[in-house]
mmCIF file of all heavy atoms in Angstrom:
data_model
loop_
_atom_site.group_PDB
_atom_site.id
_atom_site.type_symbol
_atom_site.label_atom_id
_atom_site.label_comp_id
_atom_site.label_asym_id
_atom_site.label_seq_id
_atom_site.Cartn_x
_atom_site.Cartn_y
_atom_site.Cartn_z
ATOM 1 N N VAL A 231 59.752 -19.170 7.234
ATOM 2 C CA VAL A 231 59.318 -19.009 8.629
ATOM 3 C C VAL A 231 60.400 -18.343 9.449
ATOM 4 O O VAL A 231 60.146 -17.442 10.249
ATOM 5 C CB VAL A 231 58.936 -20.390 9.231
ATOM 6 C CG1 VAL A 231 58.798 -20.244 10.758
ATOM 7 C CG2 VAL A 231 57.693 -20.938 8.614
ATOM 8 N N THR A 232 61.639 -18.732 9.248
ATOM 9 C CA THR A 232 62.832 -18.130 9.973
ATOM 10 C C THR A 232 62.866 -16.676 9.672
ATOM 11 O O THR A 232 63.105 -15.829 10.571
ATOM 12 C CB THR A 232 64.100 -18.888 9.611
ATOM 13 O OG1 THR A 232 63.994 -20.243 10.000
ATOM 14 C CG2 THR A 232 65.283 -18.181 10.313
ATOM 15 N N ALA A 233 62.698 -16.268 8.394
ATOM 16 C CA ALA A 233 62.794 -14.855 8.039
ATOM 17 C C ALA A 233 61.684 -14.061 8.730
ATOM 18 O O ALA A 233 61.962 -12.976 9.262
ATOM 19 C CB ALA A 233 62.662 -14.736 6.515
ATOM 20 N N LEU A 234 60.469 -14.616 8.815
ATOM 21 C CA LEU A 234 59.356 -13.945 9.459
ATOM 22 C C LEU A 234 59.566 -13.881 10.961
ATOM 23 O O LEU A 234 59.306 -12.868 11.606
ATOM 24 C CB LEU A 234 58.048 -14.638 9.106
ATOM 25 C CG LEU A 234 57.552 -14.477 7.696
ATOM 26 C CD1 LEU A 234 56.515 -15.482 7.340
ATOM 27 C CD2 LEU A 234 57.007 -13.018 7.512
ATOM 28 N N GLN A 235 60.154 -14.937 11.535
ATOM 29 C CA GLN A 235 60.445 -14.938 13.001
ATOM 30 C C GLN A 235 61.451 -13.862 13.264
ATOM 31 O O GLN A 235 61.419 -13.190 14.302
ATOM 32 C CB GLN A 235 60.930 -16.337 13.428
ATOM 33 C CG GLN A 235 59.807 -17.342 13.473
ATOM 34 C CD GLN A 235 60.322 -18.768 13.714
ATOM 35 O OE1 GLN A 235 61.471 -19.116 13.386
ATOM 36 N NE2 GLN A 235 59.493 -19.634 14.307
ATOM 37 N N ASN A 236 62.440 -13.742 12.371
ATOM 38 C CA ASN A 236 63.510 -12.705 12.585
ATOM 39 C C ASN A 236 62.953 -11.305 12.466
ATOM 40 O O ASN A 236 63.534 -10.332 13.002
ATOM 41 C CB ASN A 236 64.668 -12.903 11.548
ATOM 42 C CG ASN A 236 65.464 -14.117 11.849
ATOM 43 O OD1 ASN A 236 65.466 -14.607 12.996
ATOM 44 N ND2 ASN A 236 66.184 -14.621 10.862
ATOM 45 N N LEU A 237 61.789 -11.172 11.806
ATOM 46 C CA LEU A 237 61.095 -9.892 11.733
ATOM 47 C C LEU A 237 60.175 -9.677 12.970
ATOM 48 O O LEU A 237 59.577 -8.582 13.042
ATOM 49 C CB LEU A 237 60.347 -9.817 10.434
ATOM 50 C CG LEU A 237 61.156 -9.625 9.146
ATOM 51 C CD1 LEU A 237 60.264 -9.830 7.906
ATOM 52 C CD2 LEU A 237 61.802 -8.253 9.095
ATOM 53 N N GLY A 238 60.097 -10.617 13.805
ATOM 54 C CA GLY A 238 59.276 -10.489 15.007
ATOM 55 C C GLY A 238 57.974 -11.205 15.022
ATOM 56 O O GLY A 238 57.193 -11.033 16.003
ATOM 57 N N VAL A 239 57.674 -12.011 14.002
ATOM 58 C CA VAL A 239 56.435 -12.738 13.978
ATOM 59 C C VAL A 239 56.466 -14.016 14.789
ATOM 60 O O VAL A 239 57.497 -14.671 14.918
ATOM 61 C CB VAL A 239 56.058 -13.095 12.499
ATOM 62 C CG1 VAL A 239 54.732 -13.922 12.415
ATOM 63 C CG2 VAL A 239 55.952 -11.883 11.675
ATOM 64 N N GLU A 240 55.348 -14.413 15.463
ATOM 65 C CA GLU A 240 55.247 -15.623 16.249
ATOM 66 C C GLU A 240 54.675 -16.708 15.384
ATOM 67 O O GLU A 240 53.503 -16.694 15.027
ATOM 68 C CB GLU A 240 54.412 -15.405 17.452
ATOM 69 C CG GLU A 240 54.360 -16.572 18.417
ATOM 70 C CD GLU A 240 53.453 -16.328 19.633
ATOM 71 O OE1 GLU A 240 53.318 -15.146 20.049
ATOM 72 O OE2 GLU A 240 52.886 -17.327 20.165
ATOM 73 N N ILE A 241 55.523 -17.728 15.043
ATOM 74 C CA ILE A 241 55.055 -18.860 14.249
ATOM 75 C C ILE A 241 55.519 -20.113 14.942
ATOM 76 O O ILE A 241 56.761 -20.262 15.276
ATOM 77 C CB ILE A 241 55.593 -18.825 12.840
ATOM 78 C CG1 ILE A 241 55.169 -17.505 12.088
ATOM 79 C CG2 ILE A 241 55.052 -19.998 12.002
ATOM 80 C CD1 ILE A 241 55.698 -17.357 10.687
ATOM 81 N N GLU A 242 54.618 -21.118 15.075
ATOM 82 C CA GLU A 242 55.006 -22.438 15.641
ATOM 83 C C GLU A 242 54.732 -23.547 14.622
ATOM 84 O O GLU A 242 53.833 -23.453 13.844
ATOM 85 C CB GLU A 242 54.115 -22.690 16.845
ATOM 86 C CG GLU A 242 54.219 -21.708 18.019
ATOM 87 C CD GLU A 242 53.165 -22.019 19.065
ATOM 88 O OE1 GLU A 242 53.009 -23.211 19.475
ATOM 89 O OE2 GLU A 242 52.457 -21.077 19.515
ATOM 90 N N TYR A 243 55.653 -24.521 14.649
ATOM 91 C CA TYR A 243 55.445 -25.758 13.862
ATOM 92 C C TYR A 243 54.548 -26.716 14.734
ATOM 93 O O TYR A 243 54.919 -27.019 15.894
ATOM 94 C CB TYR A 243 56.757 -26.420 13.548
ATOM 95 C CG TYR A 243 57.693 -25.581 12.676
ATOM 96 C CD1 TYR A 243 58.822 -25.066 13.195
ATOM 97 C CD2 TYR A 243 57.372 -25.328 11.336
ATOM 98 C CE1 TYR A 243 59.663 -24.288 12.427
ATOM 99 C CE2 TYR A 243 58.231 -24.604 10.557
ATOM 100 C CZ TYR A 243 59.407 -24.041 11.102
ATOM 101 O OH TYR A 243 60.247 -23.327 10.299
ATOM 102 N N LEU A 244 53.468 -27.168 14.136
ATOM 103 C CA LEU A 244 52.541 -27.949 14.942
ATOM 104 C C LEU A 244 52.875 -29.452 14.880
ATOM 105 O O LEU A 244 52.458 -30.234 15.658
ATOM 106 C CB LEU A 244 51.129 -27.736 14.462
ATOM 107 C CG LEU A 244 50.624 -26.351 14.752
ATOM 108 C CD1 LEU A 244 49.124 -26.223 14.258
ATOM 109 C CD2 LEU A 244 50.677 -25.954 16.198
ATOM 110 N N GLU A 245 53.628 -29.880 13.871
ATOM 111 C CA GLU A 245 54.002 -31.316 13.744
ATOM 112 C C GLU A 245 55.468 -31.420 13.669
ATOM 113 O O GLU A 245 56.183 -31.597 14.665
ATOM 114 C CB GLU A 245 53.273 -31.945 12.564
ATOM 115 C CG GLU A 245 51.781 -32.021 12.796
ATOM 116 C CD GLU A 245 50.995 -32.637 11.624
ATOM 117 O OE1 GLU A 245 51.659 -33.280 10.745
ATOM 118 O OE2 GLU A 245 49.746 -32.517 11.553
ATOM 119 N N ASN A 246 56.123 -31.294 12.405
ATOM 120 C CA ASN A 246 57.505 -31.489 12.257
ATOM 121 C C ASN A 246 58.218 -30.129 12.029
ATOM 122 O O ASN A 246 57.752 -29.308 11.275
ATOM 123 C CB ASN A 246 57.820 -32.364 11.038
ATOM 124 C CG ASN A 246 57.218 -33.770 11.290
ATOM 125 O OD1 ASN A 246 57.389 -34.349 12.363
ATOM 126 N ND2 ASN A 246 56.601 -34.343 10.245
#
Side-chain angles (χ1 to χ4, degrees):
V231 170
T232 299
L234 289 163
Q235 289 172 333
N236 290 340
L237 288 169
V239 179
E240 184 181 334
I241 304 179
E242 301 173 45
Y243 297 110
L244 295 181
E245 293 180 13
N246 296 316

